[in-house]
Amino acid sequence: MELILLTPKVQVLLSTYNGAVYMREQMESLLGQDYLNLHVLVRDDGSTDETPALLQEYGNHRVRVVLGQNLGVIGSFYELLSRVDPDTEFVAFCDQDDVWLPGKISRAVSRLQQEVPPDTPGLYCSAYTVVDRNLQVLGSSPKVGRPPSFANALVQNIAPGCSMVLNRAAWRLLVRYPPGPAVPVHDWWAYLVISAFGRVIYDSESPLLYRQHGGNTIGEATGLYNKWKRRLHRFLTQSDRKIITNQAREFQRLYGHLLSAECAALLNEFLHRGPHIWDRVRYALRSPVYRQSCVDDLILRCLIIIDRI
Protein backbone atom coordinates (compact mmCIF):
# COMPACT_ATOMS: atom_id res chain seq x y z
CA MET A 1 0.00 0.00 0.00
CA GLU A 2 2.82 2.43 0.79
CA LEU A 3 4.29 1.90 -2.66
CA ILE A 4 0.95 2.75 -4.26
CA LEU A 5 0.63 5.96 -2.27
CA LEU A 6 4.09 7.07 -3.37
CA THR A 7 3.11 7.03 -7.04
CA PRO A 8 0.73 9.59 -8.58
CA LYS A 9 -2.76 8.31 -9.25
CA VAL A 10 -3.56 7.42 -12.86
CA GLN A 11 -7.15 7.01 -13.99
CA VAL A 12 -7.81 5.19 -17.26
CA LEU A 13 -10.93 6.43 -19.07
CA LEU A 14 -12.51 3.65 -21.10
CA SER A 15 -15.62 4.17 -23.22
CA THR A 16 -17.30 0.98 -24.43
CA TYR A 17 -20.00 0.23 -26.99
CA ASN A 18 -20.92 -3.31 -28.07
CA GLY A 19 -17.35 -4.42 -27.47
CA ALA A 20 -17.81 -7.69 -25.63
CA VAL A 21 -15.79 -9.70 -28.19
CA TYR A 22 -12.46 -8.08 -27.25
CA MET A 23 -13.31 -6.45 -23.94
CA ARG A 24 -11.82 -9.08 -21.63
CA GLU A 25 -8.36 -8.96 -23.27
CA GLN A 26 -8.29 -5.18 -22.97
CA MET A 27 -9.39 -5.19 -19.33
CA GLU A 28 -6.78 -7.80 -18.43
CA SER A 29 -4.07 -5.72 -20.11
CA LEU A 30 -5.14 -2.66 -18.10
CA LEU A 31 -5.10 -4.52 -14.81
CA GLY A 32 -1.78 -6.12 -15.78
CA GLN A 33 0.07 -2.80 -16.00
CA ASP A 34 3.25 -2.57 -13.96
CA TYR A 35 2.11 0.81 -12.61
CA LEU A 36 0.62 0.23 -9.16
CA ASN A 37 -1.59 3.25 -8.49
CA LEU A 38 -3.81 2.73 -11.53
CA HIS A 39 -7.60 2.95 -11.53
CA VAL A 40 -10.09 2.41 -14.34
CA LEU A 41 -13.24 4.43 -14.96
CA VAL A 42 -15.45 2.73 -17.55
CA ARG A 43 -18.52 4.26 -19.15
CA ASP A 44 -20.66 2.04 -21.35
CA ASP A 45 -22.27 4.09 -24.11
CA GLY A 46 -25.57 2.24 -24.34
CA SER A 47 -24.38 -1.20 -25.47
CA THR A 48 -26.93 -3.79 -26.57
CA ASP A 49 -24.60 -6.80 -26.35
CA GLU A 50 -22.99 -8.48 -23.32
CA THR A 51 -20.56 -5.62 -22.65
CA PRO A 52 -22.35 -4.21 -19.54
CA ALA A 53 -22.55 -7.64 -17.91
CA LEU A 54 -18.89 -8.33 -18.66
CA LEU A 55 -17.83 -4.98 -17.20
CA GLN A 56 -19.73 -5.65 -14.01
CA GLU A 57 -17.51 -8.69 -13.44
CA TYR A 58 -14.54 -6.32 -13.11
CA GLY A 59 -16.16 -3.78 -10.80
CA ASN A 60 -14.10 -3.32 -7.61
CA HIS A 61 -12.13 -0.65 -5.74
CA ARG A 62 -9.88 -0.14 -8.80
CA VAL A 63 -12.55 -0.38 -11.52
CA ARG A 64 -15.62 1.86 -11.48
CA VAL A 65 -18.32 1.13 -14.05
CA VAL A 66 -20.93 3.64 -15.23
CA LEU A 67 -23.76 2.58 -17.53
CA GLY A 68 -25.11 5.42 -19.67
CA GLN A 69 -27.17 6.29 -22.70
CA ASN A 70 -25.61 6.53 -26.16
CA LEU A 71 -23.73 9.81 -26.57
CA GLY A 72 -21.26 8.85 -29.28
CA VAL A 73 -17.48 8.67 -28.93
CA ILE A 74 -16.62 12.28 -28.10
CA GLY A 75 -19.69 12.75 -25.88
CA SER A 76 -18.89 9.61 -23.91
CA PHE A 77 -15.24 10.56 -23.37
CA TYR A 78 -16.20 14.05 -22.21
CA GLU A 79 -18.68 12.52 -19.80
CA LEU A 80 -15.81 10.41 -18.47
CA LEU A 81 -13.59 13.48 -18.14
CA SER A 82 -16.28 15.16 -16.05
CA ARG A 83 -16.20 12.18 -13.65
CA VAL A 84 -12.43 11.99 -13.08
CA ASP A 85 -11.58 11.60 -9.39
CA PRO A 86 -10.28 14.92 -7.98
CA ASP A 87 -7.11 13.30 -6.60
CA THR A 88 -6.10 12.01 -10.06
CA GLU A 89 -2.76 13.27 -11.41
CA PHE A 90 -2.78 11.62 -14.84
CA VAL A 91 -5.59 10.55 -17.17
CA ALA A 92 -5.26 7.97 -19.95
CA PHE A 93 -7.76 7.50 -22.77
CA CYS A 94 -8.48 3.89 -23.70
CA ASP A 95 -10.25 2.07 -26.55
CA GLN A 96 -12.21 -1.10 -25.90
CA ASP A 97 -10.53 -3.48 -28.32
CA ASP A 98 -6.76 -2.95 -28.01
CA VAL A 99 -4.12 -4.58 -25.81
CA TRP A 100 -1.72 -2.53 -23.70
CA LEU A 101 1.78 -3.79 -23.05
CA PRO A 102 2.68 -3.92 -19.30
CA GLY A 103 4.88 -0.80 -19.22
CA LYS A 104 2.62 1.53 -21.17
CA ILE A 105 1.43 3.71 -18.28
CA SER A 106 4.69 3.79 -16.33
CA ARG A 107 6.54 4.86 -19.49
CA ALA A 108 4.07 7.67 -20.19
CA VAL A 109 4.03 8.96 -16.61
CA SER A 110 7.82 8.93 -16.45
CA ARG A 111 8.13 10.99 -19.65
CA LEU A 112 5.53 13.52 -18.50
CA GLN A 113 7.12 13.90 -15.07
CA GLN A 114 10.59 14.38 -16.52
CA GLU A 115 9.74 16.66 -19.44
CA VAL A 116 6.70 18.74 -18.46
CA PRO A 117 6.42 21.02 -15.39
CA PRO A 118 3.34 20.11 -13.29
CA ASP A 119 1.58 23.44 -13.95
CA THR A 120 2.03 23.12 -17.73
CA PRO A 121 -0.54 21.12 -19.72
CA GLY A 122 1.22 17.97 -20.92
CA LEU A 123 0.10 15.28 -23.35
CA TYR A 124 1.96 12.03 -24.05
CA CYS A 125 1.14 9.98 -27.13
CA SER A 126 2.94 7.24 -28.97
CA ALA A 127 3.34 5.00 -31.96
CA TYR A 128 1.40 1.74 -31.97
CA THR A 129 1.58 -1.70 -33.53
CA VAL A 130 -1.30 -2.60 -35.84
CA VAL A 131 -2.59 -6.14 -35.30
CA ASP A 132 -5.50 -8.18 -36.59
CA ARG A 133 -8.38 -9.56 -34.51
CA ASN A 134 -6.11 -12.42 -33.38
CA LEU A 135 -3.27 -10.04 -32.40
CA GLN A 136 -1.11 -11.01 -35.37
CA VAL A 137 1.07 -8.08 -36.43
CA LEU A 138 -0.05 -6.29 -39.60
CA GLY A 139 2.25 -3.28 -39.48
CA SER A 140 3.02 -0.13 -37.56
CA SER A 141 1.53 3.31 -37.20
CA PRO A 142 2.50 6.08 -39.65
CA LYS A 143 5.91 7.60 -38.96
CA VAL A 144 6.06 10.95 -37.22
CA GLY A 145 9.20 12.69 -38.44
CA ARG A 146 8.38 16.30 -37.63
CA PRO A 147 7.76 17.64 -34.12
CA PRO A 148 4.30 17.91 -32.59
CA SER A 149 3.07 21.50 -32.76
CA PHE A 150 0.02 23.73 -33.04
CA ALA A 151 0.81 24.23 -36.75
CA ASN A 152 0.58 20.46 -37.24
CA ALA A 153 -2.43 19.94 -34.97
CA LEU A 154 -4.54 22.39 -36.95
CA VAL A 155 -4.45 20.10 -39.99
CA GLN A 156 -3.52 16.61 -38.73
CA ASN A 157 -3.89 14.35 -35.73
CA ILE A 158 -0.75 12.41 -34.76
CA ALA A 159 -2.03 11.58 -31.26
CA PRO A 160 -4.22 8.46 -31.21
CA GLY A 161 -6.46 8.45 -28.16
CA CYS A 162 -5.54 4.87 -27.28
CA SER A 163 -1.94 6.01 -26.66
CA MET A 164 -2.75 9.27 -24.91
CA VAL A 165 -1.92 10.19 -21.29
CA LEU A 166 -2.58 13.70 -19.93
CA ASN A 167 -1.33 15.40 -16.81
CA ARG A 168 -3.67 17.20 -14.41
CA ALA A 169 -3.19 20.62 -16.03
CA ALA A 170 -4.06 19.15 -19.44
CA TRP A 171 -7.26 17.32 -18.55
CA ARG A 172 -8.49 20.25 -16.50
CA LEU A 173 -7.93 22.52 -19.51
CA LEU A 174 -9.93 20.15 -21.73
CA VAL A 175 -12.96 19.98 -19.42
CA ARG A 176 -12.99 23.76 -19.07
CA TYR A 177 -14.56 24.23 -22.50
CA PRO A 178 -16.33 21.14 -23.88
CA PRO A 179 -16.54 21.30 -27.70
CA GLY A 180 -19.66 21.27 -29.85
CA PRO A 181 -20.58 18.95 -32.74
CA ALA A 182 -18.06 20.57 -35.11
CA VAL A 183 -15.33 18.51 -33.40
CA PRO A 184 -15.13 15.00 -34.90
CA VAL A 185 -13.02 13.10 -32.33
CA HIS A 186 -11.75 13.62 -28.80
CA ASP A 187 -8.10 12.76 -29.43
CA TRP A 188 -7.48 15.23 -32.27
CA TRP A 189 -9.20 17.91 -30.19
CA ALA A 190 -6.95 17.13 -27.22
CA TYR A 191 -3.85 17.33 -29.43
CA LEU A 192 -5.02 20.69 -30.81
CA VAL A 193 -5.76 22.20 -27.40
CA ILE A 194 -2.63 20.99 -25.60
CA SER A 195 -0.32 21.85 -28.50
CA ALA A 196 -1.53 25.46 -28.23
CA PHE A 197 -1.10 25.83 -24.47
CA GLY A 198 1.35 23.20 -23.31
CA ARG A 199 3.73 20.44 -24.32
CA VAL A 200 3.07 17.37 -26.48
CA ILE A 201 5.45 14.41 -26.22
CA TYR A 202 5.47 11.89 -29.06
CA ASP A 203 7.06 8.52 -28.25
CA SER A 204 8.26 6.61 -31.31
CA GLU A 205 8.29 3.34 -29.34
CA SER A 206 5.08 1.31 -29.41
CA PRO A 207 3.61 0.36 -26.00
CA LEU A 208 0.31 -0.99 -27.32
CA LEU A 209 -1.32 -3.28 -29.86
CA TYR A 210 -3.94 -1.50 -31.95
CA ARG A 211 -6.46 -4.07 -33.08
CA GLN A 212 -7.71 -3.60 -36.65
CA HIS A 213 -11.09 -5.14 -37.44
CA GLY A 214 -14.33 -4.35 -39.19
CA GLY A 215 -15.93 -2.75 -36.13
CA ASN A 216 -13.39 0.01 -35.43
CA THR A 217 -14.87 3.47 -35.01
CA ILE A 218 -11.74 4.83 -36.67
CA GLY A 219 -9.42 2.29 -38.20
CA GLU A 220 -5.90 2.30 -39.58
CA ALA A 221 -5.65 1.29 -43.22
CA THR A 222 -2.95 -1.24 -44.03
CA GLY A 223 -1.28 -1.81 -47.38
CA LEU A 224 -0.32 0.90 -49.89
CA TYR A 225 -3.50 0.59 -51.97
CA ASN A 226 -5.83 0.78 -48.96
CA LYS A 227 -3.96 3.73 -47.45
CA TRP A 228 -4.24 5.76 -50.65
CA LYS A 229 -7.85 4.74 -51.18
CA ARG A 230 -8.71 5.92 -47.68
CA ARG A 231 -6.76 9.16 -48.08
CA LEU A 232 -8.54 10.04 -51.31
CA HIS A 233 -11.91 9.26 -49.78
CA ARG A 234 -11.13 11.33 -46.69
CA PHE A 235 -9.81 14.30 -48.64
CA LEU A 236 -12.35 14.41 -51.46
CA THR A 237 -15.77 13.27 -50.23
CA GLN A 238 -18.40 15.86 -49.50
CA SER A 239 -19.07 14.43 -46.03
CA ASP A 240 -15.49 15.15 -44.95
CA ARG A 241 -15.21 18.60 -46.48
CA LYS A 242 -14.50 21.49 -44.08
CA ILE A 243 -13.93 19.29 -41.01
CA ILE A 244 -10.49 20.83 -40.46
CA THR A 245 -11.71 24.41 -40.86
CA ASN A 246 -14.84 23.86 -38.75
CA GLN A 247 -12.79 22.36 -35.92
CA ALA A 248 -10.40 25.31 -36.06
CA ARG A 249 -13.34 27.73 -35.84
CA GLU A 250 -14.69 25.88 -32.81
CA PHE A 251 -11.26 26.04 -31.20
CA GLN A 252 -11.08 29.79 -31.82
CA ARG A 253 -14.57 30.24 -30.35
CA LEU A 254 -13.73 28.37 -27.14
CA TYR A 255 -10.03 29.06 -26.57
CA GLY A 256 -9.21 32.05 -28.78
CA HIS A 257 -9.19 34.50 -25.87
CA LEU A 258 -6.47 32.49 -24.11
CA LEU A 259 -4.07 32.11 -27.03
CA SER A 260 -0.61 33.64 -27.26
CA ALA A 261 -0.17 36.31 -29.91
CA GLU A 262 1.79 33.88 -32.10
CA CYS A 263 -0.84 31.11 -31.99
CA ALA A 264 -3.69 33.59 -32.40
CA ALA A 265 -2.08 35.03 -35.53
CA LEU A 266 -1.43 31.58 -37.00
CA LEU A 267 -5.04 30.51 -36.34
CA ASN A 268 -6.54 33.73 -37.68
CA GLU A 269 -4.50 33.52 -40.88
CA PHE A 270 -5.50 29.88 -41.34
CA LEU A 271 -9.20 30.73 -40.98
CA HIS A 272 -9.01 33.73 -43.31
CA ARG A 273 -7.14 32.32 -46.25
CA GLY A 274 -8.98 34.58 -48.70
CA PRO A 275 -12.03 34.27 -50.97
CA HIS A 276 -10.07 34.18 -54.22
CA ILE A 277 -7.91 31.39 -55.56
CA TRP A 278 -4.80 33.56 -55.80
CA ASP A 279 -5.16 34.48 -52.12
CA ARG A 280 -5.22 30.80 -51.28
CA VAL A 281 -2.26 30.06 -53.56
CA ARG A 282 -0.17 32.63 -51.71
CA TYR A 283 -1.27 31.23 -48.36
CA ALA A 284 -0.59 27.62 -49.39
CA LEU A 285 2.94 28.47 -50.56
CA ARG A 286 3.99 30.22 -47.34
CA SER A 287 1.76 28.75 -44.64
CA PRO A 288 3.49 27.30 -41.56
CA VAL A 289 0.82 24.57 -41.12
CA TYR A 290 2.04 21.11 -42.09
CA ARG A 291 1.27 17.41 -42.24
CA GLN A 292 3.88 14.80 -41.38
CA SER A 293 4.52 13.18 -44.76
CA CYS A 294 5.71 15.17 -47.78
CA VAL A 295 2.96 13.68 -49.95
CA ASP A 296 0.20 14.48 -47.44
CA ASP A 297 1.62 17.97 -47.04
CA LEU A 298 1.49 18.54 -50.79
CA ILE A 299 -2.10 17.26 -50.91
CA LEU A 300 -2.99 19.60 -48.04
CA ARG A 301 -1.70 22.63 -49.92
CA CYS A 302 -3.57 21.64 -53.06
CA LEU A 303 -6.77 21.29 -51.05
CA ILE A 304 -6.21 24.71 -49.49
CA ILE A 305 -5.95 26.20 -52.98
CA ILE A 306 -9.22 24.61 -54.15
CA ASP A 307 -10.86 25.41 -50.78
CA ARG A 308 -11.64 21.81 -49.82
CA ILE A 309 -10.58 21.76 -46.15
Side-chain angles (χ1 to χ4, degrees):
M1 181 63 70
E2 292 180 359
L3 288 175
I4 292 178
L5 295 176
L6 288 174
T7 58
K9 180 176 178 177
V10 174
Q11 194 158 33
V12 176
L13 305 185
L14 170 59
S15 176
T16 62
Y17 180 72
N18 290 347
V21 175
Y22 306 112
M23 193 71 256
R24 196 175 297 279
E25 279 183 300
Q26 177 63 300
M27 287 299 299
E28 293 298 330
S29 76
L30 299 185
L31 299 176
Q33 290 293 298
D34 63 11
Y35 191 90
L36 294 177
N37 197 4
L38 183 140
H39 300 258
V40 183
L41 175 59
V42 188
R43 181 186 183 276
D44 185 74
D45 197 34
S47 291
T48 56
D49 68 352
E50 298 80 17
T51 300
L54 188 153
L55 290 174
Q56 297 290 0
E57 295 178 21
Y58 286 93
N60 56 36
H61 69 286
R62 292 183 61 197
V63 180
R64 180 154 57 100
V65 178
V66 178
L67 304 181
Q69 63 181 3
N70 186 262
L71 300 176
V73 176
I74 191 167
S76 187
F77 272 108
Y78 260 83
E79 178 66 20
L80 283 165
L81 278 169
S82 73
R83 293 173 176 266
V84 170
D85 295 337
D87 61 339
T88 297
E89 292 293 334
F90 298 95
V91 159
F93 290 138
C94 181
D95 292 346
Q96 66 185 4
D97 43 16
D98 301 327
V99 172
W100 288 10
L101 302 182
K104 178 184 186 300
I105 289 297
S106 57
R107 182 181 181 90
V109 169
S110 177
R111 291 286 302 270
L112 285 166
Q113 287 180 316
Q114 292 175 17
E115 301 177 38
V116 184
D119 58 347
T120 298
L123 184 157
Y124 166 97
C125 58
S126 73
Y128 51 89
T129 302
V130 182
V131 297
D132 65 15
R133 62 181 63 243
N134 299 313
L135 302 183
Q136 298 300 306
V137 174
L138 296 175
S140 56
S141 54
K143 292 189 181 300
V144 174
R146 304 177 72 177
S149 71
F150 183 58
N152 179 227
L154 272 174
V155 294
Q156 182 183 21
N157 182 29
I158 63 165
C162 56
S163 76
M164 200 176 279
V165 179
L166 305 122
N167 68 5
R168 181 192 290 263
W171 63 260
R172 282 185 168 176
L173 180 62
L174 285 177
V175 298
R176 188 172 175 181
Y177 300 109
V183 174
V185 286
H186 63 291
D187 50 7
W188 190 354
W189 181 251
Y191 175 39
L192 180 62
V193 173
I194 306 309
S195 68
F197 298 105
R199 172 79 191 279
V200 177
I201 299 168
Y202 182 82
D203 188 349
S204 59
E205 296 295 320
S206 169
L208 76 148
L209 307 179
Y210 176 89
R211 199 192 303 261
Q212 183 68 55
H213 57 83
N216 295 82
T217 302
I218 298 176
E220 177 66 36
T222 57
L224 186 60
Y225 171 77
N226 288 329
K227 286 181 179 179
W228 276 103
K229 181 180 177 182
R230 181 161 184 161
R231 283 174 179 172
L232 289 173
H233 176 78
R234 182 175 70 245
F235 285 137
L236 299 178
T237 58
Q238 177 68 32
S239 62
D240 216 27
R241 190 185 298 182
K242 299 297 183 180
I243 279 182
I244 292 175
T245 297
N246 289 341
Q247 177 171 258
R249 286 199 181 103
E250 179 73 346
F251 175 77
Q252 186 180 59
R253 181 181 75 86
L254 295 174
Y255 289 95
H257 64 292
L258 300 175
L259 287 171
S260 67
E262 180 182 3
C263 286
L266 191 157
L267 177 61
N268 190 60
E269 190 177 29
F270 176 75
L271 289 174
H272 299 89
R273 300 182 289 269
H276 305 297
I277 190 169
W278 291 114
D279 297 324
R280 297 193 296 272
V281 168
R282 284 192 291 270
Y283 176 78
L285 291 176
R286 62 180 173 79
S287 173
V289 300
Y290 63 89
R291 291 178 63 90
Q292 291 292 323
S293 84
C294 293
V295 173
D296 279 357
D297 198 61
L298 177 60
I299 292 173
L300 168 71
R301 294 176 196 283
C302 292
L303 291 172
I304 287 173
I305 291 170
I306 64 175
D307 199 23
R308 293 294 292 267
I309 65 165

